[in-house]
Each structure stands twice: as C-alpha cells, then as structure tokens.
C-alpha cells in the first residue's frame, strides 16, 4: 500500500495534514438490480457492478490557502478525489458535509481544523 498520497481533493494534496487514523473509508457494494436470479440452492444473486465509496476525514492545522481550496471543492457539484486505501484510486465525489473551525489565529497566520464526509459515484470493478 502506498501512503505517499493519502488524500488529494481537486488539485490539492492534503496528505501532509492527515494521518491514516484521521481517514475512514467505507466501500458499499452496488449491484445490477436487473440481473437478479435465484440459484438452485435458493440463494438470490445479483451481478456486482462496483462500489460506492464514503470517506470521512479530519485535517488539522491547515493553512488559509488549503482551507479556501477545500471550501471551493465542497462548493462544486462533483470533485475529483484520489485516496490511498488499499491502493491509490481516483473517482468523482460529492461533499456531504464540511466543517471548518479556526484553531489558531494571529495577525500573520490563521490555521484551521476541517472535517468532512464525501461520497463517490459508483466506482466500477476493475476490467468493466
């Protein structure tokens, strides 16, 4: 597993602000409902077409520019996201929620804490 790039949202790499413990990735299977059949053993089966991916993450001590880029990505209908679990994958995601809180503010610098939940379009299985 490559963890050089844990999380890239849009054109910005947020890997320096995140640890593997701050990143939760959930794969949910998506089936083709039109392929449902009952096997001879009575089990109902469908064709797996891919997965929908939900990612929740927290970013600590991000600078003002990174916070603005994150907000701009959240305002888009869809945003390209690259994540590294178990292997690096890229897909279009929609922001479900985004929270930004100031951590430290001085005359010269403002740092932010961010947390978000994003959901992907269906990611087809490899080879489809």
């Amino acid at each position: 597993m490559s963890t050089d790039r844990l999380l890239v949202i849009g054109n910005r790499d947020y890997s320096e602000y995140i640890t593997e413990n701050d990143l939760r990735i959930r794969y949910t299977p998506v089936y083709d409902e039109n392929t449902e059949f009952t096997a001879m053993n009575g089990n109902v089966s469908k064709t797996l077409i891919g997965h929908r991916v939900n990612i929740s993450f927290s970013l600590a001590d991000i600078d003002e520019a990174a916070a603005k880029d994150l907000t701009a990505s959240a305002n888009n209908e869809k945003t390209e996201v690259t994540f590294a679990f178990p292997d690096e994958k890229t897909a279009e995601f929609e922001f479900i929620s985004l929270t930004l809180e100031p951590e430290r503010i001085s005359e010269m610098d403002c740092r932010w804490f961010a947390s978000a939940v994003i959901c992907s379009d269906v990611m087809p299985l490899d080879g489809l």
Side-chain angles (χ1 to χ4, degrees):
M1 173 176 67
S2 170
T3 56
D4 293 340
R5 293 179 358 140
L6 289 174
L7 186 64
V8 178
I9 300 171
N11 293 323
R12 180 170 292 261
D13 188 347
Y14 290 92
S15 301
E16 69 182 275
Y17 303 111
I18 195 167
T19 68
E20 292 175 16
N21 294 331
D22 298 324
L23 185 63
R24 301 277 183 264
I25 299 173
R26 184 179 72 213
Y27 286 84
T28 303
V30 177
Y31 298 94
D32 181 353
E33 297 297 326
N34 296 324
T35 64
E36 184 174 312
F37 66 94
T38 303
M40 290 177 58
N41 64 4
N43 290 336
V44 176
S45 297
K46 301 176 204 168
T47 302
L48 178 66
I49 59 174
H51 293 89
R52 190 172 309 278
V53 179
N54 289 311
I55 299 176
S56 59
F57 60 88
S58 299
L59 306 171
D61 201 34
I62 64 174
D63 60 36
E64 187 100 20
K68 286 181 181 179
D69 286 348
L70 190 60
T71 301
S73 292
N75 288 332
N76 294 335
E77 186 174 325
K78 300 284 183 178
T79 300
E80 187 174 273
V81 175
T82 300
F83 57 100
F85 289 103
D87 298 317
E88 187 171 290
K89 299 210 183 274
T90 300
E92 292 289 314
F93 279 76
E94 177 183 351
F95 273 76
I96 305 302
S97 67
L98 172 64
T99 302
L100 283 167
E101 301 173 25
E103 283 187 320
R104 179 171 41 119
I105 299 174
S106 69
E107 289 183 27
M108 302 301 291
D109 191 27
C110 182
R111 295 293 181 162
W112 297 85
F113 170 83
S115 62
V117 176
I118 57 178
C119 182
S120 76
D121 291 338
V122 175
M123 294 177 60
L125 296 174
D126 290 339
L128 291 181

